[in-house]
Amino acid sequence: MDNQSLNKYFSGMDNKSIVNSELFGLFRSAIQTHEFDPDPYLSFQERYLVYRLCLSHVYQFYFSLNGEEVFQFGIEMERKSNYQNYVTEHKNTYPPSFFEGEIDIRRVKEITVKGVAFSVYYFQKITEFKNLEAIFVIPLVTQEILEELRKIFVFGLKNYHPKQIQPKRLLPLYSNFKEKLRESILSYPYQDRVQGVLTLFRLEDLKIYNEKMGEYFTGNLMNEICTTISSHLKKHDLIIVINHRSYLTYLPDCTVEIVQKRFSEVFFKLHQLIIKFNLEFFEVGQSNIQNPNFIDDLFV
């Protein structure tokens, strides 16, 4: 969707009757000045999204993947933090009740901007590797529009992947994982020599919970595990999610005794469920970090 197509679309769009001329003018300016990703593939993907969002009269929109924003669009009707608060309040009042594989769809708030009422819709789906969330702010709600929003969300599920955006302290498990881990360990500004501790969290098999409770529950459980471990880490410590059962941390300039004490009060709880786990500690020094088999031995 190029600028010419956008102008053609707006020239025939009777949106002023839905909002007002002031809001419509701001919306039109926001679209015409929207900056798309320079990558050709992502640019095409984003232009397609903008086109679909325009057709659905969406005035503000966010896509977040695993807690990180991957795309935004439209006018800032309210700050993103406000929407996050609305979602949290709604979830506290109305816990999720959808079946496994379904999308959690909520109308979390109605806001008024320049005399026009807007509905704030929240979409979420959690899978083993993704936690995709979306905020739609729209002035007109019909069954057809809601179905279009669902299609937009499904498009995001299919086209946004964790490899496109990496949280600052998480490393993916890919082919050169071992070398990346070694580089990360060696990159710390040690006082005199390489010294730290790798800790491997091995959790009980969560398969039964996924089968009985569904993906949403398991996704929340994984988020709770990451959050709990991270709360015991310092600014320069590292956490790596290997899979849903294995989490690796690295604490530089530490001894095993210090790390054991740091993690002595760690436990994982979601609702009434306590997750069992084992801890393994590996002291890192100048000699073994240079041993190509050292990291291999962690995963035996």
Side-chain angles (χ1 to χ4, degrees), residues 130-266:
K130 293 182 183 180
N131 175 12
L132 189 70
E133 300 170 278
I135 292 289
F136 299 88
V137 183
I138 54 176
L140 177 66
V141 181
T142 66
Q143 194 59 42
E144 291 76 14
I145 286 179
L146 287 179
E147 178 59 23
E148 182 62 24
L149 300 188
R150 190 191 70 80
K151 291 178 180 178
I152 291 170
F153 187 79
V154 170
F155 175 83
L157 280 171
K158 293 179 179 178
N159 290 276
Y160 283 105
H161 306 286
K163 65 181 180 181
Q164 291 180 255
I165 178 166
Q166 298 297 335
K168 294 180 180 178
R169 294 169 61 198
L170 301 180
L171 294 178
L173 183 61
Y174 47 91
S175 59
N176 59 347
F177 164 73
K178 292 182 294 182
E179 187 57 36
K180 291 293 184 182
L181 176 58
R182 183 179 286 104
E183 289 176 2
S184 295
I185 292 174
L186 293 172
S187 69
Y188 287 92
Y190 300 95
Q191 296 296 326
D192 50 6
R193 61 190 178 88
V194 177
Q195 180 176 322
V197 177
L198 283 163
T199 305
L200 183 61
F201 289 76
R202 292 188 186 271
L203 277 68
E204 65 175 298
D205 193 349
L206 304 178
K207 182 179 179 181
I208 186 173
Y209 302 121
N210 187 48
E211 292 175 347
K212 300 294 184 182
M213 309 296 287
E215 292 181 355
Y216 183 85
F217 182 87
T218 307
N220 278 345
L221 190 59
M222 292 182 66
N223 288 339
E224 177 65 22
I225 291 167
C226 283
T227 300
T228 301
I229 295 175
S230 296
S231 68
H232 291 77
L233 300 179
K234 295 183 178 179
K235 181 179 179 180
H236 298 295
D237 297 342
L238 182 70
I239 177 173
I240 303 165
V241 180
I242 299 173
N243 55 47
H244 68 285
R245 294 185 59 189
S246 302
Y247 301 78
L248 186 69
T249 68
Y250 179 66
L251 284 66
D253 288 328
C254 282
T255 64
V256 170
E257 291 73 22
I258 291 175
V259 178
Q260 285 177 328
K261 184 177 181 180
R262 180 95 67 87
F263 290 144
S264 62
E265 298 181 357
V266 171

Side-chain angles (χ1 to χ4, degrees), residues 3 6-7 10 13 21-36 50 54 59 73-75:
N3 290 335
L6 281 170
N7 289 330
F10 277 113
M13 182 180 179
S21 58
E22 182 180 2
L23 276 174
F24 178 69
L26 291 171
F27 182 58
R28 179 172 182 169
S29 297
I31 304 310
Q32 292 174 329
T33 58
H34 186 89
E35 294 185 3
F36 296 97
V50 168
C54 287
Y59 271 64
F73 159 83
I75 313 171

Side-chain angles (χ1 to χ4, degrees), residues 31-45:
I31 304 310
Q32 292 174 329
T33 58
H34 186 89
E35 294 185 3
F36 296 97
D37 195 285
D39 178 86
Y41 173 79
L42 293 177
S43 178
F44 175 81
Q45 180 174 297

Side-chain angles (χ1 to χ4, degrees), residues 78 81 113 122 142 178 255 287:
E78 288 195 12
S81 59
V113 181
Y122 171 77
T142 66
K178 292 182 294 182
T255 64
S287 58

